[in-house]
Amino acid sequence: MLLVARKKALTWPAAVHSNVVSPSTSAHLLSPSRKRDRNPLSSPRPSLTALPLQPVRPVRSLNGLWNFAFLGDIELESFDPSQRHEWERLPVPSAFDVLPAYAGKRGAAVYETTFDVPAHQPARIEFGAVSMWGRVYIDGVLCHEQRCGFAQFSILLPTSASTRRTLTVLVDNRFDAKRLPMHEEKFDFYQYGGILRDVTCHLLPVTGLFLDRVQVTPLAGYASGEISLALTLSTTPKEAQIVAIQFDDEPAQQHSLTAALTTLTPHVPSPRVWSPQSPHLHRVRVVLLDRNGHPLDDLTTRFGLRRIEVRNGQLQLNGDRLILRGYNRHEWHPHYGPCTPLLQMVNDLQMLRDLDCNFVRGSHYPQDARFLDLCDELGFLVFEENLGWQQDRNVLNNPDYRRDHASSLLAMVYASYNHPCIILRGFLNEAESDQPASRAIYEESAALLRQHDPSRLVTYATDRLPNGKPDLNLDLVDLISINLYPGWYGCEGVEDPLTLIAPCMDKMVRLVDEMGFGEKPVFFSEIGAEGLYGWHDPHHDFFSEEYQAAYLATACTKALSLDRCCGIALWQFCDIRTYGKGKSLMRPRTFNNKGTVDEYRRPKLAYAAVKKIFSEK
Ligand code: ADA
């Protein structure tokens, strides 16, 4: 869920100073200069409820240069947040081990900053992602432990008589199956340490009652503006709490809330449907008012009116058949690791648009809110999934793993709930779904999504069927996502491996139908081959750009010709760093080289081949 205070509104109390000045990116993205989506709150026209023209809640970015020290292989329990270190200065967000000084190092590290808030001021600090493991201390007191490196979380700032506060974040990028079961060394992407995403501080009303979440769900009548609007307060109000709700430029309406969670079903005035062709975004602002009608707190969020469903065996968006053409994308660049600058995200989406894609699978973790903002605005459809990569049955049955998996899945849902670009939610990429012992976590995860995010489709990417194994959990999903690599892995001795692709896709559809899931669309969620940038080979053999181009062209042509198939996501958009050392023999350069562009986004031959097929469809 993206809840924003706009840039103009960052009215930090005069007494408050911070060592950080940059406005939040989300606020920037919602700049009032956007023609399509004018800022209603800067309009001079007074609304019916005399809403203030400026938003109420001060939100301040805590990004910037922080103190930093790499502590290495320390015993975590011995960490003392009051200890002084030989500080260097590092930016937040950052992956410290993307820098030459720490490249490839594993260990603990500490980030520290100070900021000012008024004495006794309630506040909430929101973290986009702390990786891989983290502990957050305020003024030396432990407030939170984080055990998923890509999940959003927040802490309530303990109130204090002093105005200067110290925020210390202990991070650790060492693998530890016991302490941190969600991150395993075998994952086929390099896992970094640091404060990877934005940190913001929200000042909250002194009464302690504030708006925790605003969630918009388009209903069956979405095209005529029918939505449900769930408002979550921090606590049950002692007496009826008045809120004003304003859509876009329209006059605000007042409602009275008596519970911590209230679900309203208002109609969005002047509704316009969101679609990839016309990604129209609406905005709702919710303001808590005191008895005299003065604003206490507010949240604003964007949303889209659209409907994703499976009907008659087809994937449908807004009632029309939808065919997904796209890529799996890791948030990664050699210079920034997983802390990709906004400009790089725009670059990637421009290339994906040029390739005639309408879809991105955010492999294999919860997405950066800035990327989702861009997809909302540009009309890309997104599959967002929880952190996961080939977990075996022991991990899937570990109660600590299940607890952490469930909590990061829920955090993902809350963080990105209002983004219309997300149509699919998933979990447990290529885990052991053929094992009866794994069933419980699949059931729990699907149930959690259906309970907390009922208007999206549930799926998970399986590699069992292509590997000749059963999959025992396909009854739980709306859409069957299959990762397959015929003609790449396991084709020793085959004269022309490309000939394996089409029969394998046919077989997948047949198997799904034979299992009795003929009404569920089949989605090829991964397929690809390695092509080393600049490697040309007259034999057109493995690792050459020529083989990769022919491979992807064959895969796209076949998938898009199958009636039962609702699309294809190629593996992968760009080359990425992965595990190294002895494990990397299948990974030249210690990279996964299946990108259609290399790590610097230089197109390989496959680029033109894919573009041709996607643009013809
Ligand atoms: C899997 C996995 C990807 C990547 C890919 C590959 O399907 O989901 O993350 O590892 O294989 O390149 O082999």
Side-chain angles (χ1 to χ4, degrees):
M1 176 173 53
L2 169 65
L3 297 167
V4 287
R6 56 198 59 259
K7 181 176 172 185
K8 266 184 95 175
L10 296 179
T11 48
W12 208 254
V16 175
H17 305 285
S18 165
N19 55 356
V20 183
V21 289
S22 57
S24 86
T25 311
S26 318
H28 177 69
L29 269 177
L30 291 175
S31 151
S33 66
R34 289 181 50 75
K35 274 199 199 121
R36 187 165 72 208
D37 214 6
R38 241 168 17 92
N39 174 6
L41 306 176
S42 64
S43 150
R45 179 163 60 86
S47 67
L48 288 184
T49 52
L51 284 177
L53 299 180
Q54 297 297 331
V56 182
R57 180 188 291 188
V59 179
R60 186 80 185 244
S61 170
L62 297 185
N63 293 351
L65 276 179
W66 291 34
N67 289 337
F68 173 84
F70 182 66
L71 308 176
D73 196 20
I74 61 157
E75 173 53 54
L76 288 171
E77 298 313 321
S78 70
F79 174 72
D80 173 4
S82 63
Q83 198 187 325
R84 303 293 89 204
H85 302 273
E86 272 191 29
W87 294 121
E88 55 182 300
R89 302 280 282 165
L90 233 61
V92 165
S94 61
F96 65 82
D97 44 346
V98 87
L99 295 168
Y102 305 108
K105 293 210 161 94
R106 298 225 167 254
V110 57
Y111 286 81
E112 185 196 271
T113 193
T114 55
F115 62 101
D116 289 358
V117 294
H120 307 293
Q121 170 73 51
R124 179 154 87 173
I125 303 189
E126 301 201 343
F127 293 84
V130 169
S131 183
M132 296 165 2
W133 173 98
R135 276 186 184 157
V136 179
Y137 303 82
I138 298 288
D139 303 328
V141 177
L142 178 63
C143 294
H144 180 82
E145 181 172 302
Q146 181 62 10
R147 291 185 300 271
C148 171
F150 292 95
Q152 201 187 63
F153 65 95
S154 63
I155 59 162
L156 284 176
L157 187 76
T159 50
S160 163
S162 55
T163 54
R164 169 85 21 127
R165 314 301 298 272
T166 302
L167 171 58
T168 310
V169 183
L170 175 67
V171 300
D172 192 353
N173 68 354
R174 287 171 294 182
F175 295 98
D176 182 336
K178 226 174 141 31
R179 173 171 53 86
L180 186 60
M182 285 205 73
H183 289 259
E184 290 183 66
E185 195 163 6
K186 68 176 183 183
F187 293 2
D188 188 8
F189 53 97
Y190 196 85
Q191 295 166 80
Y192 293 83
I195 301 179
L196 302 189
R197 294 179 185 163
D198 294 337
V199 185
T200 47
C201 179
H202 294 224
L203 298 194
L204 302 171
V206 284
T207 58
L209 183 73
F210 62 92
L211 272 165
D212 187 27
R213 278 196 298 280
V214 172
Q215 289 177 301
V216 183
T217 311
L219 299 177
Y222 67 95
S224 52
E226 238 184 62
I227 58 164
S228 87
L229 181 65
L231 308 178
T232 308
L233 299 173
S234 53
T235 171
T236 307
K238 290 204 180 77
E239 51 191 57
Q241 172 63 54
I242 304 300
V243 288
I245 296 170
Q246 183 185 26
F247 289 101
D248 303 320
D249 267 336
E250 304 295 329
Q253 305 285 332
Q254 288 195 359
H255 296 264
S256 162
L257 311 181
T258 52
L261 170 63
T262 307
T263 303
L264 306 168
T265 48
H267 264 78
V268 180
S270 313
R272 284 181 61 191
V273 168
W274 185 97
S275 70
Q277 298 72 30
S278 171
H280 185 80
L281 293 169
H282 285 284
R283 181 171 43 243
V284 62
R285 179 176 176 215
V286 180
V287 187
L288 296 191
L289 300 171
D290 73 9
R291 275 201 225 141
N292 302 317
H294 296 134
L296 296 166
D297 190 25
D298 67 342
L299 284 177
T300 299
T301 187
R302 302 193 301 181
F303 63 95
L305 298 170
R306 56 110 188 90
R307 184 170 183 83
I308 185 77
E309 64 192 326
V310 168
R311 187 174 281 204
N312 305 327
Q314 290 183 346
L315 181 63
Q316 295 191 351
L317 180 73
N318 304 333
D320 294 328
R321 184 168 190 197
L322 176 63
I323 302 291
L324 303 173
R325 303 177 312 269
Y327 274 90
N328 286 270
R329 176 179 176 275
H330 271 286
E331 198 62 76
W332 192 77
H333 184 281
H335 294 162
Y336 315 106
C339 308
T340 321
L342 189 60
L343 190 60
Q344 187 62 52
M345 296 178 178
V346 173
N347 174 101
D348 292 359
L349 287 168
Q350 281 189 1
M351 294 187 99
L352 288 163
R353 170 105 333 141
D354 181 54
L355 284 158
D356 231 323
C357 296
N358 60 4
F359 174 81
V360 179
R361 174 169 175 232
S363 50
H364 299 295
Y365 33 76
Q367 297 294 289
D368 188 313
R370 297 170 306 154
F371 185 71
L372 296 175
D373 281 343
L374 289 170
C375 291
D376 285 345
E377 294 198 9
L378 297 171
F380 279 93
L381 302 160
V382 175
F383 173 168
E384 190 183 32
E385 66 187 7
N386 200 8
L387 175 63
W389 200 88
Q390 292 190 1
Q391 277 77 13
D392 67 24
R393 72 201 85 161
N394 297 325
V395 174
L396 297 177
N397 262 316
N398 169 356
D400 292 344
Y401 177 78
R402 277 161 68 174
R403 176 202 59 206
D404 292 352
H405 183 264
S407 80
S408 63
L409 191 61
L410 191 57
M412 175 177 91
V413 166
Y414 286 157
S416 58
Y417 193 90
N418 293 331
H419 289 279
C421 63
I422 299 174
I423 53 166
L424 308 178
R425 294 250 191 230
F427 45 81
L428 299 177
N429 172 63
E430 295 188 350
E432 269 196 316
S433 48
D434 53 324
Q435 296 300 319
S438 313
R439 173 80 180 173
I441 190 166
Y442 281 86
E443 282 179 351
E444 281 161 19
S445 304
L448 184 143
L449 289 180
R450 294 198 189 283
Q451 182 189 346
H452 293 279
D453 198 1
S455 74
R456 290 185 170 96
L457 302 179
V458 174
T459 189
Y460 62 85
T462 177
D463 65 343
R464 300 293 110 165
L465 304 182
N467 288 315
K469 296 180 180 160
D471 192 305
L472 306 181
N473 303 309
L474 298 178
D475 58 313
L476 299 171
V477 299
D478 298 306
L479 177 119
I480 299 192
S481 300
I482 301 178
N483 294 354
L484 69 173
Y485 289 83
W488 183 253
Y489 294 119
C491 56
E492 291 84 350
V494 176
E495 177 59 26
D496 183 0
L498 292 181
T499 59
L500 300 177
I501 296 173
C504 181
M505 287 185 171
D506 285 331
K507 185 174 169 195
M508 292 305 106
V509 169
R510 206 171 55 243
L511 284 178
V512 169
D513 290 352
E514 281 168 12
M515 289 168 79
F517 299 126
E519 81 291 356
K520 300 190 186 200
V522 172
F523 174 51
F524 295 122
S525 40
E526 283 187 29
I527 185 163
E530 303 234 343
L532 296 171
Y533 178 78
W535 182 248
H536 298 283
D537 174 10
H539 292 224
H540 292 189
D541 214 329
F542 271 35
F543 296 103
S544 69
E545 287 197 31
E546 286 81 3
Y547 185 76
Q548 186 196 32
Y551 185 100
L552 294 185
T554 309
C556 292
T557 307
K558 176 64 184 175
L560 297 179
S561 75
L562 284 173
D563 202 45
R564 282 282 286 110
C565 167
C566 69
I568 183 165
L570 300 173
W571 186 267
Q572 61 179 333
F573 172 64
C574 71
D575 291 350
I576 53 152
R577 177 173 285 285
T578 185
Y579 39 68
K581 309 208 171 76
K583 212 172 132 41
S584 64
L585 289 180
M586 289 281 284
R587 295 284 180 265
R589 314 189 295 143
T590 71
F591 270 57
N592 184 313
N593 296 289
K594 297 191 188 74
T596 285
V597 299
D598 79 349
E599 63 272 30
Y600 295 107
R601 278 56 172 177
R602 294 177 296 191
K604 303 179 191 172
L605 284 181
Y607 190 98
V610 172
K611 178 174 171 169
K612 182 163 180 300
I613 294 163
F614 279 178
S615 55
E616 278 166 1
K617 293 289 167 185

